[in-house]
Amino acid sequence: MADTKREIERKYEGLPSGGDPALPDLTRVPGVSGVIDKGVADLDATYYDTADQRLAAASLTLRRRTGGDDAGWHLKLPVSEGVRDEIRAPLADTVPHSLSALVRSRVREAELVPVVRLLSARDVRHLVDASGALLAEVSVDRVRAERLSGGTGVAEWTEIEVELADDGDPAFLDKVEKKLRKAGLERSSSKSKLARALSDTATADTTDTAATTDTVDVPDTAVKREKREKRQKRDKAADSPPRTAGDHVLAYLRTQRAAIIELDPAVRRDLYDAVHSMRVATRRMRSAFRSYGTILDRAVTDPIGAELKWLAGELGVGRDQEVLAERLTTALDDLPDALLTGPVRDRLGDWSRARGDGSRRHLIAVLDGGRYLDLLAALDGVVTEPPLLKAAAGDPSKVIAKAVRKDFAKVSALVAQALDLAPGADRDLAMHEARKKAKRTRYAAEAATPALGGPAAALVKSMKSLQSLLGDHQDSVMAREALRDLAAQAHAAGESAFTYGVLYGREERHAAAVEAAFPGEWESIAGGGGI
């Protein structure tokens, strides 16, 4: 069983002109009433990665450590500067599945092997306040790094680490840092011990073989050199400001591809909004393929787009259920007690949990499956070897603007069709189709904003507004379907279905209000100009 700890820490080293760093008197730090010596712990950590260091390239660390009070397997995922989530699992001879699954989007089918061993003598002190509560843990770490694969280098250094206590105020670290800087210390130039170990124990060969997640295997020297040169050329191009229409579209695609890969661990951990964010990234990428078909060859991107649609659908099973359950629960909370008959809350809770638990298990199975890995490989390929067409070299203000105008015209046609229909199932479907096209146009405008500026940004805003209105209507359609289902279940169980009918009626009135606002909303958008 894995557990998670939010880790907020800073590392320090001595100035270049000095020797090993030494701690000053930390009792003089504001708020500190005492410094408790906790003794020296001997730590033995073996870090695992792929042969081409895919985890290190993503600032992830996976280790097996003995010694100290937290022996076991640790996976550290970056959250922000100086903040990481440390996910722990008990000691075992092999990498626990609970941790290897969280790095699968990076590792793919590659083997995790020992890359570095760190032997540390950790001299620990606790900074406490007047009540004896822990404020931070300060340690002086004397480290010896031994390269285990990709070389035989050895390195030694001493560093100081300050880790904030659980639920502590990050501003306290600034106070400690002020004291350390006065003592001649400075922030470490390396983000982690592993990063420094890899750098200090590297040889020419290991530097050459270090790669990004775009590399799938470890080829022979000639192929390795060719791939490295291609990667360097590609990375240089990616870092350059976009100039052509193709540059802008590829920059957008790279961002979405990175989001999918980076969100994978968060989805597996069931973190708030992770499923929704990953689903949005898949939709943005698929929309870009379709909107910019004159820039990227759709013979190549359409099959990938179909797989992105599949993944978005799998992600949507749990997400749609979550949104629907929240809507129905909120509606139920707004009802007067006099309108509540029967065990409505219990039935709604059971319905939500049963469907939610099943979708969660299914989603994890999808992320563990080969089809998902094949999709990630295809996304790698489309951004590293993009199928560019002739228009990709064109002026963004012309090529990209034309594509966005084409999408907007399709939205206009679908909105007109919906407005011509009478209220009912056909209009519901037409409004749903208009919402999907508005979303696609919004994403196309997002990709266009760096090239087209204000007009594209304004279109993003207006399409988001339209999408929100029509999305609210579609949510009402889905809520009414769910309420009919719940009412049937309640009736079959001999319970009153009255409350479900009340909620259904409210949803009908809400949908009618949205439909009444729809023409005015569209008139405002259509009259606002375009690209």
Side-chain angles (χ1 to χ4, degrees):
M1 179 68 69
D3 62 90
T4 302
K5 180 181 185 298
R6 177 60 56 87
E7 180 181 85
I8 303 175
E9 65 180 23
R10 298 178 186 178
K11 297 180 185 297
Y12 300 88
E13 57 191 14
L15 294 172
S17 58
D20 284 347
L23 284 178
D25 180 6
L26 297 177
T27 59
R28 302 177 68 85
V29 174
V32 175
S33 294
V35 178
I36 303 175
D37 189 340
K38 305 297 289 187
V40 178
D42 292 321
L43 309 177
D44 187 344
T46 299
Y47 288 77
Y48 286 71
D49 204 337
T50 60
D52 50 7
Q53 297 177 20
R54 300 178 196 183
L55 298 186
S59 298
L60 307 178
T61 61
L62 174 64
R63 74 186 179 202
R64 181 186 187 277
R65 191 169 77 180
T66 57
D69 57 5
D70 63 347
W73 285 90
H74 306 150
L75 172 64
K76 297 193 179 188
L77 304 172
V79 176
S80 59
E81 183 67 29
V83 182
R84 295 186 293 182
D85 276 347
E86 182 178 272
I87 305 172
R88 300 172 176 176
L91 277 176
D93 293 335
T94 58
V95 181
H97 176 73
S98 59
L99 301 187
S100 63
L102 295 177
V103 297
R104 195 163 189 240
S105 66
R106 300 286 185 183
V107 173
R108 313 289 172 84
E109 299 289 1
E111 182 183 4
L112 288 167
V113 298
V115 291
V116 167
R117 183 186 185 193
L118 296 185
L119 300 171
S120 304
R122 168 164 289 184
D123 191 356
V124 180
R125 292 165 180 80
H126 283 181
L127 308 186
V128 298
D129 63 14
S131 69
L134 180 66
L135 297 170
E137 179 177 285
V138 181
S139 62
V140 179
D141 295 340
R142 293 172 176 81
V143 185
R144 174 182 172 85
E146 301 173 356
R147 195 66 169 243
L148 300 178
S149 65
T152 57
V154 174
E156 294 183 355
W157 70 89
T158 299
E159 68 180 32
I160 290 173
E161 182 176 293
V162 183
E163 181 175 346
L164 189 67
D166 294 345
D167 301 319
D169 182 0
F172 177 70
L173 295 182
D174 294 332
K175 299 176 183 178
V176 177
E177 179 164 310
K178 184 176 181 180
K179 184 65 176 176
L180 295 179
R181 286 189 178 277
K182 284 184 177 180
L185 301 172
E186 62 180 11
R187 289 274 194 104
S188 176
S189 57
S190 297
K191 293 183 178 180
S192 67
K193 287 183 175 66
L194 176 62
R196 178 161 184 175
L198 290 173
S199 174
D200 289 0
T201 64
T203 63
D205 287 341
T206 59
T207 302
D208 287 347
T209 57
T212 68
T213 52
D214 295 334
T215 304
V216 176
D217 51 18
V218 183
D220 61 40
T221 304
V223 176
K224 184 190 307 177
R225 185 182 306 111
E226 180 182 356
K227 285 195 172 187
R228 183 173 68 253
E229 290 172 353
K230 283 185 178 181
R231 184 174 63 251
Q232 291 171 345
K233 182 178 180 180
R234 183 184 68 242
D235 292 345
K236 182 178 180 181
D239 292 338
S240 302
R243 298 183 301 275
T244 66
D247 289 339
H248 282 279
V249 173
L250 285 175
Y252 187 75
L253 291 177
R254 289 189 188 100
T255 298
Q256 306 318 317
R257 174 242 185 195
I260 292 170
I261 293 172
E262 291 168 5
L263 284 164
D264 178 290
V267 170
R268 293 175 185 271
R269 295 167 63 199
D270 200 22
L271 297 187
Y272 174 74
D273 209 39
V275 170
H276 173 63
S277 297
M278 189 176 188
R279 189 183 188 191
V280 168
T282 65
R283 286 175 163 175
R284 281 176 166 147
M285 200 164 196
R286 178 170 175 257
S287 291
F289 287 159
R290 301 181 69 184
S291 295
Y292 297 109
T294 61
I295 294 173
L296 295 167
D297 187 355
R298 289 192 59 173
V300 176
T301 62
D302 276 358
I304 303 174
E307 291 302 280
L308 286 169
K309 182 179 181 179
W310 160 76
L311 179 58
E314 298 290 2
L315 291 164
V317 173
R319 171 62 181 173
D320 291 345
Q321 171 66 23
E322 179 184 331
V323 171
L324 187 55
E326 288 177 359
R327 185 182 185 98
L328 294 179
T329 300
T330 300
L332 196 61
D333 290 342
D334 289 342
L335 284 184
D337 289 342
L339 298 180
L340 294 175
T341 61
V344 181
R345 292 188 186 278
D346 290 342
R347 180 164 294 281
L348 177 58
D350 292 342
W351 173 84
S352 176
R353 284 189 294 272
R355 299 184 67 176
D357 290 346
S359 64
R360 173 85 189 143
R361 289 192 297 270
H362 176 72
L363 178 55
I364 295 301
V366 167
L367 297 182
D368 284 340
R371 185 175 180 180
Y372 173 64
L373 286 187
D374 289 343
L375 172 57
L376 294 184
L379 298 183
D380 292 346
V382 83
V383 298
T384 56
E385 300 291 339
L388 297 176
L389 299 175
K390 183 178 179 180
D395 184 345
S397 65
K398 296 179 180 179
V399 177
I400 290 182
K402 183 178 179 180
V404 176
R405 284 195 295 267
K406 184 177 179 181
D407 275 351
F408 183 76
K410 292 178 180 178
V411 174
S412 299
L414 288 171
V415 167
Q417 178 184 344
L419 291 174
D420 285 343
L421 294 171
D426 288 343
R427 176 182 253 199
D428 291 345
L429 180 59
M431 292 177 70
H432 181 47
E433 291 300 318
R435 180 188 68 87
K436 291 193 293 185
K437 194 63 67 175
K439 185 184 298 184
R440 173 175 158 183
T441 304
R442 170 190 166 190
Y443 294 155
E446 283 179 352
T449 298
L452 306 182
L459 184 57
V460 170
K461 185 177 181 179
S462 63
M463 288 297 99
K464 185 176 182 179
S465 177
L466 179 62
Q467 177 190 334
S468 178
L469 181 74
L470 297 180
D472 189 20
H473 183 271
Q474 178 62 15
D475 287 347
S476 180
V477 172
M478 299 302 295
R480 279 175 277 160
E481 289 184 5
L483 288 167
R484 281 196 296 268
D485 181 38
L486 286 165
Q489 293 178 27
H491 179 74
E495 301 165 5
S496 171
F498 172 77
T499 300
Y500 304 108
V502 172
L503 294 175
Y504 189 97
R506 290 193 170 196
E507 285 291 354
E508 274 192 323
R509 291 193 295 276
H510 182 76
V514 172
E515 292 183 37
F518 183 24
E521 177 75 13
W522 176 248
E523 183 178 355
S524 174
I525 291 172
I531 291 178

